[in-house]
Amino acid sequence: MTTKIRTLIADDEEGPREQLRAALARLAPEIEIVAASVNGCDAWDDCLEHEPQLCFLDIRMPGLSGLEVGQRLSQLAEPPQVVFVTAYGDHALSAFEAGAVDYVMKPVEDARLEQCLQRLRQRQALNGTMADEEGADGGDTVRPATAAMPAATLELLRQLLPSQRPSMRPIQASQGREIQLIAPDDILFFQSDSRYTRVVHRDGEAWIRTALKELLGDLDPSVFWQVHRSVLVNSRFITSATRVDENTMQLSLKGCAEKLPVSRQFQGLFKGQ
């Protein structure tokens, strides 16, 4: 029985998204589509929920671009393999060619997609061999290996993404008849539930209706780190990361008695030096 490869596809246009889904069904029966995301913010959130092993990301999407999603995925403890989907003439195409990064062009052609899939299968086979060797040496059961994102891909993302982001706008929170404007620099963390997002800042806290995933496009990722699917923290306020047990880590923040959870996916952010 063929092991299924959990796969996410993301494109804000329904036609190309469904065309890719149909092509993968024809050419790769081992692929299981676990999410078909309609924008970059949803793609990132769906990746955290479903933990795909493979992602096809359209470059140009609202909220977060495919490049930005790819960069965020590279920071996970077990990043998926990534294939970028690009329109003909996209500014990134020549850079992809030079960097030997996996990509397919729209409209997706079976021959080009099959070539891409063969490369992915070869890479997966190599990772599986490495995992088997590690299991034989250590004697413990080893989960299937996930390849770290190639250095060429990471360097390419750094080159293509804008070096400067627009200034972060104040967060607006309603309190009765008053609209409170909270400067991003004063925010310690955001914490979401199914309906609201809690904004904890220097002078207290407020609640907004904006989902956490929708805030990502407006916040500087070098300052605001996602450490859990429901938690986004201002890294400037982090004082320590404490490992509670093998799978649990907590953050302590300056001026805050509350401890914040760090999910397994993001514990690689705190490796020590």
Side-chain angles (χ1 to χ4, degrees):
M1 181 176 178
T2 303
T3 302
K4 292 292 186 180
I5 300 173
R6 297 189 311 278
T7 301
L8 174 142
I9 58 177
D11 195 312
D12 59 312
E13 297 181 77
E14 183 179 1
R17 189 173 64 245
E18 293 309 311
Q19 182 200 14
L20 178 57
R21 186 203 293 267
L24 290 171
R26 284 195 309 274
L27 301 174
E30 72 272 29
I31 278 181
E32 176 188 9
I33 304 297
V34 295
S37 311
V38 299
N39 58 56
C41 294
D42 281 353
W44 170 244
D45 197 49
D46 289 340
C47 282
L48 296 183
E49 179 180 357
H50 298 287
E51 298 190 14
Q53 298 159 293
L54 173 62
C55 294
F56 286 84
L57 303 175
D58 183 27
I59 290 180
R60 301 188 181 190
M61 293 186 289
L64 294 174
S65 70
L67 297 175
E68 290 173 313
V69 175
Q71 185 183 50
R72 289 176 180 275
L73 289 172
S74 72
Q75 299 171 349
L76 297 180
E78 296 179 358
Q81 297 192 67
V82 171
V83 177
F84 292 108
V85 182
T86 174
Y88 180 76
D90 194 288
H91 73 288
L93 185 57
S94 60
F96 283 172
E97 294 278 11
V101 172
D102 284 324
Y103 73 93
V104 292
M105 289 193 302
K106 298 180 185 179
V108 176
E109 297 179 352
D110 282 7
R112 179 67 184 88
L113 182 58
E114 180 60 41
Q115 185 182 42
C116 175
L117 290 168
Q118 287 298 340
R119 276 204 302 269
L120 293 169
R121 289 173 181 130
Q122 291 169 4
R123 195 177 301 159
Q124 190 67 27
L126 176 60
N127 294 336
T129 300
M130 293 171 63
D132 290 343
E133 290 173 353
E134 291 172 3
D137 291 341
D140 294 327
T141 300
V142 178
R143 295 184 352 175
T146 301
M149 194 170 286
T153 306
L154 295 176
E155 179 57 31
L156 182 57
L157 291 175
R158 281 191 287 268
Q159 292 174 11
L160 293 175
L161 287 168
S163 56
Q164 291 186 338
R165 297 178 65 90
S167 298
M168 294 183 290
R169 296 173 295 180
I171 299 297
Q172 299 188 26
S174 300
Q175 292 191 331
R177 294 184 176 183
E178 181 181 82
I179 303 296
Q180 182 182 10
L181 271 64
I182 309 168
D185 286 345
D186 291 336
I187 295 171
L188 278 67
F189 64 90
F190 298 92
Q191 187 173 43
S192 283
D193 60 21
S194 58
R195 294 184 60 192
Y196 297 98
T197 296
R198 179 179 170 224
V199 185
V200 176
H201 53 93
R202 292 177 190 266
D203 300 318
E205 63 180 60
W207 294 84
I208 59 177
R209 293 181 181 272
T210 307
L212 198 68
K213 64 181 180 181
E214 295 171 8
L215 292 168
L216 293 175
D218 295 327
L219 298 172
D220 186 342
S222 67
V223 176
F224 285 90
W225 297 358
Q226 187 150 13
V227 295
H228 190 278
R229 193 178 175 209
S230 64
V231 178
L232 197 63
V233 62
N234 188 334
S235 60
R236 295 167 179 164
F237 286 95
I238 299 174
T239 58
S240 65
T242 303
R243 186 169 294 284
V244 179
D245 54 41
E246 184 177 350
N247 298 311
T248 309
M249 182 177 281
Q250 292 180 337
L251 296 183
S252 298
L253 305 183
K254 186 188 307 180
C256 179
E258 202 168 333
K259 307 292 184 184
L260 298 181
V262 181
S263 68
R264 173 186 53 79
Q265 296 161 304
F266 294 102
Q267 290 182 12
L269 291 170
F270 307 97
K271 297 178 180 178
Q273 295 179 343

